[in-house]
Amino acid sequence: MILSYQSLDHTLLTLPQVVSMAVAGRKGHLAIIDAKNMGLIKEFQVRETVRDVVFLHNELFFAAAQKKYLYIYNCDGTELHCMKEHGVVLKLQFLKNHFLLASINKFGQLHYQDVTTGVMVANYQTGLGRSDVMQVNPFNGVVALGHSSGTISMWKPTSAAPLVKMLCHHGPVSSLAFHSNGCLMATAGRDKKIKLWDLRKFEVVQTLPGQEKAMDFSQKGLLATGTGSFVQILGDFSGSQSYNRYMTHSMAKGYQVHKLLFRPYEDVLGIGQSMGWSSILIPGSGEPNFDSWVANPFETSKQRREKEVRSLLDKLPPETIMLDPSKIGTVRPTWKKEKPSKQEIEVEKEAAIASAKSITLKKKTKGRNKPSKRDRKKQEIVERAKRPFLEQQMEEEGSSKKKRQMMGQQTELPKSLQRFARKKTEERL
């Protein structure tokens, strides 16, 4: 065990970042800790229930779901905003590429709010009741919610209906986690099963026994599961999406695991439990080579400011959130031209007749410029303009007649029942 913090009146949740880590207690304790030297940066007491906490675009700001409302604080503990529109929030997630703060409240309402402009992008009623499980797919930005009916629904801010609604368990969903590649999802339910799903086909890859309360994937694909006072690490060492036991860890007797989160770029697993929080070493869990343009553990304040400006310039609109983001930038396939409506055909016909009538005829020599001949010529021009519309109408009537005949042949009754059908038609007549 690397570090342990104990508090008898707190159930703490750890939210690790590259540089800092936020710790929130159920009874109102909030703290920011330096992830490199585990030194305390700031701690304060809000004196009310805290259900969830999440960092925003960097470690300077974080959001806390408290007893009645959602609050945003800075790293000094100063309250910046109180967002009453979200209601009594149960779970929070932040979409870093889109600068969207997503929340689900106790009435099953899903909110998306842009933290750069403060605009409420979307507010949808899930219609599936209260949800205590919420995760974001890091690959495409789709928000997944676990419900008490055993279903998992996936949402995006531009759709009032779920993109996917799948029955995963025969009981309430207790935990949910996404692999960093976005193609693998792990779910756990009260039916004492852990299921691994291939999101490309929405099929179960593997089913394991266990009633887990917390799960999380590491950057290298290790899956941490926790229930009661036991933590288990599963690994796919064959590359065939077949997870086996890698490591196990037992907490002190009576300690209940509530949250598991891997530290990025470190072989460390943070454990939030009923008596505080602790961290353990998991060899091979973190990515050893970091990209300083994506996440720099040693960035200075100047680099952080430059990174913030770049991320704001590269901010993606909510419309880019979809199940398959590889479709962005591709050419849309050509669709067959839709048939014009009757009103549009009438308008085109009238326009063609009007243009035909407006044609000025040449003045011809004496004897060939009689009014009757001019009227006959104009009538021929008008009929020539009407002809394509009449031909199209005849073709449509012929095709519809053929369809009716085909349908009549297909639905023709057998001889034993035809006499009843004749009687009915006679009665109608």
Side-chain angles (χ1 to χ4, degrees):
M1 185 179 292
I2 296 176
L3 186 69
S4 179
Y5 174 85
Q6 293 186 359
S7 178
L8 296 177
D9 57 349
H10 287 68
T11 301
L12 298 184
L13 310 176
T14 59
L15 289 167
Q17 290 286 327
V18 177
V19 179
S20 300
M21 180 169 60
V23 181
R26 287 284 182 184
K27 294 189 176 180
H29 176 259
L30 293 172
I32 305 294
I33 297 173
D34 190 341
K36 289 185 288 186
N37 55 20
M38 291 299 170
L40 184 65
I41 297 175
K42 183 69 178 180
E43 68 173 341
F44 57 98
Q45 177 67 242
V46 296
R47 297 182 180 180
E48 63 179 12
T49 304
V50 178
R51 297 185 181 89
D52 203 359
V53 63
V54 65
F55 274 112
L56 300 186
H57 55 282
N58 57 25
E59 66 277 3
L60 298 181
F61 305 97
F62 64 94
Q66 296 178 204
K67 183 178 180 180
K68 293 179 68 175
Y69 303 120
L70 172 64
Y71 294 86
I72 291 182
Y73 299 92
N74 64 3
C75 60
D76 296 326
T78 305
E79 180 187 322
L80 302 178
H81 300 285
C82 175
M83 300 179 178
K84 297 183 180 181
E85 301 89 355
H86 292 256
V88 182
V89 176
L90 301 178
K91 289 293 178 182
L92 289 170
Q93 289 292 329
F94 184 72
L95 285 67
K96 60 180 181 179
N97 294 327
H98 307 81
F99 282 81
L100 292 177
L101 180 63
S103 69
I104 184 76
N105 62 20
K106 69 176 185 179
F107 302 109
Q109 291 178 329
L110 179 63
H111 293 81
Y112 287 90
Q113 187 160 10
D114 193 330
V115 298
T116 59
T117 60
V119 176
M120 186 67 72
V121 177
N123 177 13
Y124 301 129
Q125 183 72 41
T126 60
L128 297 170
R130 180 184 174 117
S131 176
D132 296 325
V133 181
M134 183 181 188
Q135 282 293 335
V136 172
N137 191 332
F139 177 66
N140 51 23
V142 173
V143 172
L145 300 174
H147 304 279
S148 58
S149 59
T151 60
I152 288 178
S153 57
M154 298 185 184
W155 300 79
K156 67 175 183 177
T158 55
S159 175
L163 301 175
V164 177
K165 190 162 66 171
M166 49 195 296
L167 179 63
C168 297
H169 296 276
H170 298 290
V173 178
S174 58
S175 185
L176 172 67
F178 285 101
H179 196 281
S180 57
N181 61 11
C183 299
L184 189 65
M185 178 179 71
T187 62
R190 299 286 177 84
D191 56 355
K192 298 182 179 180
K193 289 181 181 179
I194 303 171
K195 293 184 180 181
L196 297 173
W197 298 81
D198 188 348
L199 294 180
R200 293 167 293 186
K201 299 181 290 184
F202 295 99
E203 292 181 355
V204 179
V205 178
Q206 188 179 6
T207 303
L208 301 169
Q211 185 177 346
E212 310 301 326
K213 289 186 177 180
M215 291 192 300
D216 189 37
F217 275 103
S218 73
Q219 290 178 318
K220 301 300 286 184
L222 297 180
L223 176 62
T225 64
T227 180
S229 57
F230 296 97
V231 177
Q232 184 176 239
I233 314 298
L234 306 175
D236 176 23
F237 303 104
S238 60
S240 59
Q241 292 184 346
S242 177
Y243 277 76
N244 300 309
R245 185 181 297 177
Y246 174 48
M247 294 179 69
T248 57
H249 175 72
S250 297
M251 307 295 295
K253 189 176 181 181
Y255 287 21
Q256 300 295 312
V257 176
H258 292 281
K259 190 82 171 181
L260 294 174
L261 282 171
F262 282 97
R263 280 268 308 278
Y265 306 101
E266 297 283 348
D267 294 341
V268 178
L269 174 65
I271 304 171
Q273 24 93 358
S274 57
M275 303 298 287
W277 67 271
S278 58
S279 56
I280 59 175
L281 279 173
I282 307 295
S285 63
E287 176 64 45
N289 304 314
F290 64 88
D291 186 357
S292 60
W293 288 95
V294 178
N296 186 6
F298 310 101
E299 69 179 1
T300 61
S301 58
K302 182 179 179 181
Q303 290 174 333
R304 185 184 65 244
R305 288 195 298 269
E306 291 177 353
K307 180 182 175 183
E308 186 173 1
V309 172
R310 285 197 307 270
S311 60
L312 283 170
L313 293 174
D314 296 337
K315 174 187 170 184
L316 298 176
E319 291 77 15
T320 57
I321 299 175
M322 58 183 67
L323 286 174
D324 186 10
S326 61
K327 291 182 179 179
I328 299 174
T330 58
V331 180
R332 184 178 293 178
T334 56
W335 297 95
K336 290 184 179 179
K337 191 175 180 180
E338 295 182 358
K339 291 183 179 180
S341 62
K342 290 184 179 181
Q343 293 179 353
E344 292 175 351
I345 293 173
E346 288 294 329
V347 170
E348 289 180 6
K349 186 178 178 180
E350 290 176 1
I353 293 170
S355 63
K357 287 181 177 180
S358 64
I359 295 174
T360 56
L361 299 176
K362 292 181 180 180
K363 290 184 179 181
K364 296 186 179 180
T365 57
K366 188 177 179 180
R368 300 179 62 187
N369 198 23
K370 293 181 179 180
S372 58
K373 286 187 177 180
R374 291 175 66 87
D375 292 340
R376 199 181 307 122
K377 192 70 174 177
K378 284 186 178 180
Q379 192 67 26
E380 289 176 1
I381 293 171
V382 171
E383 289 176 359
R384 201 180 300 127
K386 287 182 180 179
R387 190 175 298 161
F389 297 97
L390 295 173
E391 290 176 354
Q392 185 180 358
Q393 185 178 356
M394 291 175 65
E395 287 179 2
E396 290 179 356
E397 289 177 357
S399 61
S400 61
K401 191 175 181 181
K402 285 182 181 179
K403 284 182 180 178
R404 285 197 297 271
Q405 289 177 356
M406 292 290 291
M407 291 293 292
Q409 291 175 2
Q410 289 176 1
T411 58
E412 188 176 358
L413 295 173
K415 290 183 178 180
S416 59
L417 299 176
Q418 283 180 1
R419 55 198 181 97
F420 300 107
R422 288 196 198 98
K423 284 182 179 180
K424 287 181 180 178
T425 53
E426 288 173 3
E427 287 174 4
R428 289 174 186 171
L429 293 170

